[in-house]
Amino acid sequence: MDKQKQYFISIVSSFLNSDAPEIHDDIDWKEIYRLSVMHNVTAIIANQISKIPEHLKPAEPMMKAFRQQLGYTIISYENKCNIINRLRNLFNENGISFIFVKGAVLKDYYPVKELRTSGDIDIFIKFSDYERAKALFSKDKYRITANASGGFAFDCGDEHIELHTEMDYDNEFFSDIFNIADKKDGFEYSLSDHLHLLYVLCHIEKHFNYLGAGLRMFSDVDVLLRHMDHFDYQQFISLCEKASIATLAVSVFSFCNYRFNTPVKAEIDYNKDKNMLNLFENIIIDGGSFGFSQKNMGDYYINQSIGKSLKNNIFTKIKAILLFLFPKPSYFKHIYPYCLKHPVLIPLGWLQRLIGGLFKRTDHSKKTIKNIITSGNYSEEYKKLLKELGIYRS
């Protein structure tokens, strides 16, 4: 990994450790800015730049860009807090049980909570409340933007909210999330710190199996671990084994210890295993927040189709195209609610998707197939990483 990317990680690390960043006089601030935008941590970088000696800070045009992003992030934070409180009151007033997860909770654990950015607000409700909640958010001030059998998404002003149910989970461990959560005030539930950490790790696994996980997901692991009064490493790894992510957890903890100085055991010595470190870091950093920066949907289907040979050959590409054209039944149950209620209608779901791909999403379909055909060795490297992380799927 090149010097600029290493420095970018070190700035984030200095923030998590409440320290001033390292001082260098040969930093390409345009590249640091680009990386910070990719990973949605520009406000954190801007905050840390303020601790650097004046003569080493970026030139004024670049400094202005950092300050603007810092201001936007603080405004967004205030908006999100207001909406979180509004949603909390709305759920309680209507007797709908709910759990906030990820950013809505984790922001409070950051050294400067206003700087933890997020693209959306994630909430769990009970599946039995799905229709009632959907009707509630079908009113004028909300706009439903996505609808699936396990949940739906809607916009409130400039903020995006994703509503999940027990049918829409990252790992089967959380299929009964309300029974393992703690009851709070009113109809609100919350995950314990240990279960929230497990949830974050399962979310990282989900993103790695899709297109990738960005640096902010790892900083979430860091702040959670620092927040805990007591963390029993071995007991938690046993919990991870139940969720089938123990190898991933060990790798993530070791990475956080190595790069962020996170107070957690490191079973992998990345000083010795440089090949694994480079593979891990390059995919994390180059992919951006959610892996999209250097990957596309063609890469996703290739990733799902590479077999035990770990080779992206002609057979892999054919398999990927077929998977794109003929998704697994579970896909339809998630996208089309009627397929969940009546599995016999899955062929109708396939027909609906095919017609949409041919006539509504023609350009997208052509682009995806072209990306599959032209995909190269990067997919092989990515699959190797998944194998190392213990989340290899063949």
Side-chain angles (χ1 to χ4, degrees), residues 166-316:
E166 305 102 312
M167 308 297 293
D168 179 24
Y169 47 79
D170 295 341
N171 187 294
E172 194 172 351
F173 185 94
F174 292 98
S175 61
D176 205 9
I177 190 170
F178 281 92
N179 281 339
I180 61 175
D182 300 319
K183 186 74 182 295
K184 292 182 69 178
D185 297 331
F187 289 86
E188 185 171 5
Y189 290 73
S190 66
L191 294 175
S192 68
D193 288 336
H194 284 76
L195 286 179
H196 212 148
L197 178 59
L198 182 66
Y199 185 90
V200 170
L201 289 169
C202 289
H203 194 66
I204 288 174
E205 182 206 20
K206 172 190 174 181
H207 274 278
F208 266 124
N209 272 308
Y210 188 60
L211 286 176
L215 195 65
R216 193 182 59 199
M217 295 186 191
F218 294 85
S219 67
D220 283 346
V221 172
D222 175 90
V223 298
L224 254 170
L225 285 163
R226 292 178 194 269
H227 173 75
M228 293 184 193
D229 293 327
H230 174 71
F231 180 67
D232 188 322
Y233 178 87
Q234 212 53 56
Q235 186 176 14
F236 184 78
I237 293 299
S238 296
L239 190 64
C240 290
E241 288 173 351
K242 294 179 181 178
S244 302
I245 61 161
T247 302
L248 172 71
V250 168
S251 299
V252 171
F253 287 160
S254 298
F255 175 81
C256 288
N257 176 278
Y258 181 76
R259 281 303 186 193
F260 299 151
N261 198 29
T262 308
V264 66
K265 181 180 179 181
E267 291 191 42
I268 301 172
D269 185 353
Y270 284 121
N271 284 309
K272 296 179 179 178
D273 197 349
K274 290 295 185 181
N275 289 334
M276 173 60 180
L277 177 66
N278 288 333
L279 182 62
F280 203 4
E281 287 189 327
N282 284 331
I283 286 174
I284 291 170
I285 300 302
D286 291 342
S289 292
F290 303 110
F292 282 103
S293 292
Q294 285 200 345
K295 300 179 76 179
N296 50 59
M297 288 308 298
D299 289 309
Y300 167 77
Y301 287 106
I302 287 290
N303 178 42
Q304 300 298 309
S305 303
I306 288 181
K308 294 180 180 179
S309 68
L310 301 182
K311 296 297 182 182
N312 182 12
N313 51 34
I314 184 63
F315 301 106
T316 300

Side-chain angles (χ1 to χ4, degrees), residues 137-146 153-157 160-161:
F137 293 109
S138 295
K139 298 178 181 178
D140 292 342
K141 58 183 176 180
Y142 305 103
R143 184 171 64 88
I144 293 180
T145 58
F154 62 94
D155 288 338
C156 179
H160 187 68
I161 296 95

Side-chain angles (χ1 to χ4, degrees), residues 83-103:
I83 289 173
I84 286 170
N85 288 331
R86 184 193 304 179
L87 293 172
R88 178 177 282 116
N89 292 333
L90 194 61
F91 287 132
N92 279 321
E93 289 168 3
N94 288 273
I96 295 176
S97 299
F98 63 99
I99 305 173
F100 285 106
V101 294
K102 295 174 13 188

